[in-house]
């Protein structure tokens, strides 16, 4: 029997190819074809077990490539975590083989262009649970620089964008293998017509919906200052004060990054006094981020704190913590990981609710770092009445990697999904802002430091995603379930 190992090695490499479509490489157009090699290799598997193994290898390649920057922190735990989460792709490998193998009929081609993207979105939905690491590297997020494509996010969130991109890949794969012959000189088969139509619809659906939508109404802009001090070896507070005092014109709000204040303000009235004086001097409220032990409890928490010249106006404690980075699940059993990796030595304390803050008549919805990756949190803040989504992040641990750009790119998705503008300040970059359709307004790379003022247009809208939520993942789960039931029914022996 011919060795399967060359194909297995090829699928591992092919699984990593989509990494070039994500920030920082940013070759987003390649996302529309990047999965084709994986699909062809899965289709060629000679047994379901082999397809499952190849699917797992594709998942290992994809996660290792797109989230390589976690390796220095997770150390020995990195390959274990990647291998565990990649098991989700094993079932997808079986699904791809079942739908694409052999000579395709038009009916099976239709099932493939619906079922394969549904399976991929279902994988993304499951691995987006925060205890599995959260929704990093969702395929739809590759299109963050293309507001016309992101129009689909207003209907079905990042999930619908991802479905469209994967469906295009399936369509192109069917164009290659959809006939009984590989000769392109023969007339196109019905299956290839299905593939071509799918690829075309998937590619143009977003731009067509974008063109059909009404323009946002004219609205006033709100000047928001994003302060990015960069790596400061000592006296971070003074550096941020200096940048804030140096703003060239009045602003409505000043946003500092995650962990920008290292002292609990209830225990350090002198630090609070410096911040209130700064707010009075610049004539704007400050949204800082306190990362410190809470007075009287010993617990560590990250808290978005709104400060005016009169004192603390509102607080939001981070509700969704980073697994292992900010807490260790089942610490009693897994606490030893803190000794061999960069896992948190002590669990941070999570908040229990979202908060919308009033900034002189402007309702803002603050979220912190990792929370920027979650569509449901931004949607909840929009439904709670936030007119502007504000994110605070640091990513100092991952400086020099692709992580800062990946995190900042999520702002475009959250804006397009919710119909709300986004302003994101990062302690060490990338700081960015987007309008309510996901158009980029500002971008300060991680290599730079300073303060930038962004005039944020406050036009917004309630989107279908705001109203309907995660209907795309639910639909994909139903599609996969029906396909599985159909397969079982065909295998059941007749009476």
């Amino acid at each position: 029997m011919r060795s399967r190992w060359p194909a297995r090695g090829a699928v591992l490499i092919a699984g990593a190819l989509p990494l070039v479509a994500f920030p920082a490489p940013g070759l987003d157009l390649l996302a529309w074809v990047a999965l084709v090699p994986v699909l062809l290799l899965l289709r060629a598997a000679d047994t379901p077990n082999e397809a499952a193994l190849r699917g797992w290898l594709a998942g290992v390649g994809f996660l290792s490539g797109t989230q390589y920057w976690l390796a220095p922190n997770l150390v020995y735990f990195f390959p274990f975590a990647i291998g565990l989460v990649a098991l989700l792709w094993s079932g997808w490998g079986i699904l791809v083989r079942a739908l694409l193998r052999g000579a395709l009929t038009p009916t099976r081609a239709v099932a493939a262009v619906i079922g394969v993207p549904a399976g991929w979105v279902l994988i993304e939905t499951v691995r987006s649970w925060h205890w599995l690491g959260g929704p990093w590297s969702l395929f739809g997020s590759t299109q963050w620089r293309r507001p016309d494509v992101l129009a689909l996010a207003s209907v079905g969130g990042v999930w619908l964008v991802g479905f469209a991109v994967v469906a295009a890949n399936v369509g192109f794969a069917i164009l290659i293998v959809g006939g009984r012959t590989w000769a392109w000189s023969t007339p196109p088969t019905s299956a290839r017509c299905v593939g071509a139509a799918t690829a075309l619809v998937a590619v143009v659906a977003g731009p067509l919906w974008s063109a059909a939508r009404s323009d946002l109404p004219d609205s006033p802009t709100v000047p928001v200052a994003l302060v990015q001090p960069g790596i400061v070896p000592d006296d971070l507070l003074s550096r941020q004060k200096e940048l804030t005092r140096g703003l060239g014109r009045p602003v409505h709000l000043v946003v500092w990054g995650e962990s920008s204040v290292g002292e609990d303000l209830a225990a350090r009235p002198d630090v609070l006094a410096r911040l209130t004086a700064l707010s009075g001097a610049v004539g704007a409220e400050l949204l800082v981020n306190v990362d410190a032990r809470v007075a009287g409890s010993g617990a560590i928490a990250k808290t978005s704190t709104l400060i005016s010249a009169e004192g603390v106006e509102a607080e939001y404690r981070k509700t969704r913590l980073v697994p292992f980075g900010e807490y260790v699940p089942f610490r009693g059993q897994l606490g030893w990981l803190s000794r061999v990796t960069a896992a948190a030595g002590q669990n941070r304390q999570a908040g229990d609710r979202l908060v919308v803050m009033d900034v002189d008549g402007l309702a803002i919805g603050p979220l912190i770092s990792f929370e920027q990756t979650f569509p449901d949190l931004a949607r909840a803040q929009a439904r709670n009445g936030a007119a502007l989504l504000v994110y605070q992040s640091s990513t100092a641990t991952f400086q020099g990697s692709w992580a800062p750009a990946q995190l900042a790119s999520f702002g475009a998705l959250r804006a397009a999904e919710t119909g709300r503008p986004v302003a994101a300040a990062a302690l060490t970059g990338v700081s960015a802002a987007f309008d309510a359709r996901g158009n980029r307004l500002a971008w300060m790379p991680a290599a730079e430091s300073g303060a930038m003022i962004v005039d944020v247009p406050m036009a917004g809208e309630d989107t279908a995603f705001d109203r309907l939520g995660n209907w795309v993942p639910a639909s994909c789960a139903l599609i996969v379930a029906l396909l599985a039931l159909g397969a079982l029914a065909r295998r059941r022996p007749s009476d």
Side-chain angles (χ1 to χ4, degrees), residues 24-86:
L27 303 177
D28 47 90
L29 287 178
L30 293 182
W32 299 90
V33 296
L35 286 180
V36 171
V38 171
L39 296 172
L40 298 181
L41 288 163
L42 293 176
R43 173 185 180 272
D46 52 1
T47 67
N49 286 343
E50 178 65 15
L53 175 59
R54 293 187 187 186
W56 177 75
L57 289 169
V60 169
F62 180 82
L63 294 173
S64 299
T66 58
Q67 298 181 47
Y68 76 92
W69 35 268
L70 288 171
N73 295 84
L74 295 181
V75 195
Y76 309 111
F77 189 62
F78 179 75
F80 173 78
I82 292 295
L84 182 64
V85 178

Side-chain angles (χ1 to χ4, degrees), residues 53 105 112 123 126 143 147 177 181 201 209 216 253 377 422 438 492-493:
L53 175 59
T105 64
I123 290 172
V126 174
Q143 304 304 300
V177 302
T181 174
V201 170
W209 174 237
L216 290 172
L253 174 68
L377 292 179
V422 166
R492 189 171 66 182

Side-chain angles (χ1 to χ4, degrees), residues 44 59 63 83 188 220 226 237 277 291 348 391 408 422 446 451 483:
L63 294 173
L226 306 177
L237 187 61
D291 186 0
R348 279 180 166 78
Y391 293 99
V422 166
L483 289 171

Side-chain angles (χ1 to χ4, degrees), residues 42 74 86 120 130 149 151 192 279 308 356 379 433 463:
L42 293 176
L74 295 181
W120 183 277
H130 79 275
V149 177
R192 279 190 174 136
S279 175
S308 71
V356 173
R379 175 175 175 261
T463 64

Side-chain angles (χ1 to χ4, degrees), residues 398-426:
F398 306 109
Q399 285 295 97
S401 76
W402 294 346
Q406 282 191 23
L407 183 61
S409 71
F410 280 105
L413 270 296
R414 304 294 85 89
E417 287 168 342
T418 62
R420 305 297 194 277
V422 166

Side-chain angles (χ1 to χ4, degrees), residues 19-413:
L19 68 90
V20 300
F22 290 89
L27 303 177
D28 47 90
L29 287 178
L30 293 182
W32 299 90
V33 296
L35 286 180
V36 171
V38 171
L39 296 172
L40 298 181
L41 288 163
L42 293 176
R43 173 185 180 272
D46 52 1
T47 67
N49 286 343
E50 178 65 15
L53 175 59
R54 293 187 187 186
W56 177 75
L57 289 169
V60 169
F62 180 82
L63 294 173
S64 299
T66 58
Q67 298 181 47
Y68 76 92
W69 35 268
L70 288 171
N73 295 84
L74 295 181
V75 195
Y76 309 111
F77 189 62
F78 179 75
F80 173 78
I82 292 295
L84 182 64
V85 178
L87 289 173
L88 295 170
W89 273 263
S90 294
W92 187 71
I94 296 172
L95 177 67
V96 171
R97 176 183 180 272
L99 294 177
L100 288 179
R101 67 189 174 95
L104 292 177
T105 64
T107 300
R108 286 184 56 223
V110 170
V113 299
I114 296 173
V116 173
W120 183 277
V121 171
L122 195 56
I123 290 172
E124 293 193 329
T125 304
V126 174
R127 72 179 181 88
S128 292
W129 294 346
H130 79 275
W131 50 268
L132 283 181
W136 286 95
S137 308
L138 300 185
F139 221 62
S141 66
T142 60
Q143 304 304 300
W144 71 278
R145 292 191 301 184
R146 302 192 176 276
D148 54 342
V149 177
L150 291 188
L152 293 176
S154 69
V155 179
V158 64
W159 319 111
L160 187 57
V161 182
F163 188 99
V165 177
V166 178
N169 278 268
V170 179
F172 288 124
I174 291 174
L175 277 173
I176 296 174
V177 302
R180 294 181 179 273
T181 174
W182 287 74
W184 285 93
S185 59
T186 60
T189 65
S190 297
R192 279 190 174 136
C193 290
V194 171
T198 299
L200 178 62
V201 170
V203 170
V204 304
L208 286 177
W209 174 237
S210 177
R213 299 167 76 187
S214 301
D215 292 336
L216 290 172
D218 292 334
S219 64
T221 61
V222 171
V224 177
L226 306 177
V227 176
Q228 181 174 303
I231 300 295
V232 180
D234 49 37
D235 206 354
L236 174 62
L237 187 61
S238 293
R239 173 59 176 161
Q240 291 170 118
K241 285 182 59 181
E242 175 189 357
L243 292 172
T244 303
R245 286 185 178 276
L247 295 174
R249 59 186 172 94
V251 297
H252 193 90
L253 174 68
V254 179
V255 185
W256 290 5
E258 179 187 18
S259 304
S260 48
V261 176
E263 304 285 348
D264 180 49
L265 298 180
R268 291 294 304 272
D270 57 321
V271 175
L272 178 58
R274 294 173 66 185
L275 294 173
T276 56
L278 178 62
S279 175
V282 299
E285 294 180 61
L286 312 177
L287 185 69
V288 304
N289 189 271
V290 178
D291 186 0
R293 292 189 182 278
V294 180
S297 72
I300 304 175
K302 289 187 178 180
T303 307
S304 295
T305 305
L306 184 66
I307 298 173
S308 71
E310 283 73 41
V312 174
E313 299 292 337
E315 293 181 313
Y316 162 68
R317 182 168 295 177
K318 188 175 184 179
T319 59
R320 200 161 291 178
L321 303 177
V322 180
F324 301 102
E326 294 175 331
Y327 77 103
V328 175
F330 308 107
R331 181 171 286 276
Q333 293 73 40
L334 299 177
W336 57 270
L337 286 170
S338 299
R339 298 192 295 272
V340 297
T341 71
Q346 176 182 342
N347 287 359
R348 279 180 166 78
Q349 188 177 78
D352 58 4
R353 62 189 177 91
L354 298 178
V355 176
V356 173
M357 302 176 179
D358 178 67
V359 183
D360 194 19
L362 172 66
I364 68 168
L367 292 165
I368 302 172
S369 193
F370 180 56
E371 296 177 326
Q372 187 170 351
T373 66
F374 291 92
D376 64 301
L377 292 179
R379 175 175 175 261
Q381 289 290 59
R383 290 177 64 83
N384 287 342
L388 172 67
L389 300 177
V390 180
Y391 293 99
Q392 298 172 296
S393 65
S394 171
T395 64
T397 304
F398 306 109
Q399 285 295 97
S401 76
W402 294 346
Q406 282 191 23
L407 183 61
S409 71
F410 280 105
L413 270 296

